[in-house]
């Protein structure tokens, strides 16, 4: 067990638990954002309901998605440096998956910002 504690020491279990919690927050946000975009895509740009969806999506990004992404990365890197990168094939695979999810996150956020400007880069059906 002492090998796992590394430089984090007794804080290791807390850091790991917080990392898992924030990963769950991030994934929940990544699942709900496309659903919000489906509803927004069905509204004509500029109407009152579109404005409500723009605000809802902005709050989702500001309160859940971006903070959980940042905390997930910070805590995940702390855990990775704690145990070391060498000889950890699973860690490299996990890091590759996280990079893909981060790219997806960026793509979805850029779509939501374009939709907030009144563009409709994808049809409602494509979001489903």
């Amino acid at each position: 067990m002492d090998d796992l504690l590394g430089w984090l020491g007794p804080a290791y279990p807390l850091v790991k638990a917080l990392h898992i919690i924030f990963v769950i927050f991030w994934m929940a946000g990544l699942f709900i954002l496309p659903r919000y975009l489906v509803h927004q895509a069905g509204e004509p740009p500029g109407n009152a309901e579109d404005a409500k969806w723009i605000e809802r999506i902005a709050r989702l990004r500001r309160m859940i998605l971006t903070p959980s992404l940042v905390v997930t990365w910070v805590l995940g890197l702390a855990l990775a440096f704690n145990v070391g990168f060498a000889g950890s094939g699973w860690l490299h695979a996990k890091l590759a998956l996280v990079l893909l999810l981060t790219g997806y996150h960026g793509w979805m956020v850029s779509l939501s910002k374009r939709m907030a400007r009144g563009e409709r880069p994808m049809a409602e059906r494509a979001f489903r």
Side-chain angles (χ1 to χ4, degrees), residues 75-114:
L75 295 177
L77 288 173
L79 290 167
F81 282 115
N82 187 62
V83 298
F85 286 100
S88 298
W90 67 268
L91 183 59
H92 295 113
K94 185 177 176 181
L95 189 56
L97 177 63
V98 172
L99 285 169
L100 285 172
L101 287 170
T102 301
Y104 176 72
H105 172 113
W107 179 61
M108 291 304 294
V109 166
S110 71
L111 276 177
S112 70
K113 288 181 179 182
R114 287 175 63 192

Side-chain angles (χ1 to χ4, degrees), residues 6-112:
W7 61 272
L8 286 174
Y12 177 81
L14 176 64
V15 172
K16 191 171 186 175
L18 287 172
H19 175 67
I20 292 168
I21 289 167
F22 279 94
V23 167
I24 292 168
F25 287 163
W26 185 33
M27 292 302 108
L30 285 179
F31 278 118
I32 197 67
L33 181 58
R35 295 301 308 156
Y36 279 16
L37 294 177
V38 165
H39 295 294
Q40 185 184 5
E43 298 296 329
N47 75 1
E49 193 61 31
D50 182 52
K52 288 179 186 177
W53 281 111
I54 290 170
E55 178 57 31
R56 289 177 191 132
I57 292 168
R59 272 189 279 157
L60 174 67
R61 287 192 331 251
R62 187 177 58 246
M63 295 170 62
I64 296 174
L65 273 173
T66 301
S68 60
L69 168 74
V70 171
V71 174
T72 295
W73 266 99
V74 169
L75 295 177
L77 288 173
L79 290 167
F81 282 115
N82 187 62
V83 298
F85 286 100
S88 298
W90 67 268
L91 183 59
H92 295 113
K94 185 177 176 181
L95 189 56
L97 177 63
V98 172
L99 285 169
L100 285 172
L101 287 170
T102 301
Y104 176 72
H105 172 113
W107 179 61
M108 291 304 294
V109 166
S110 71
L111 276 177
S112 70

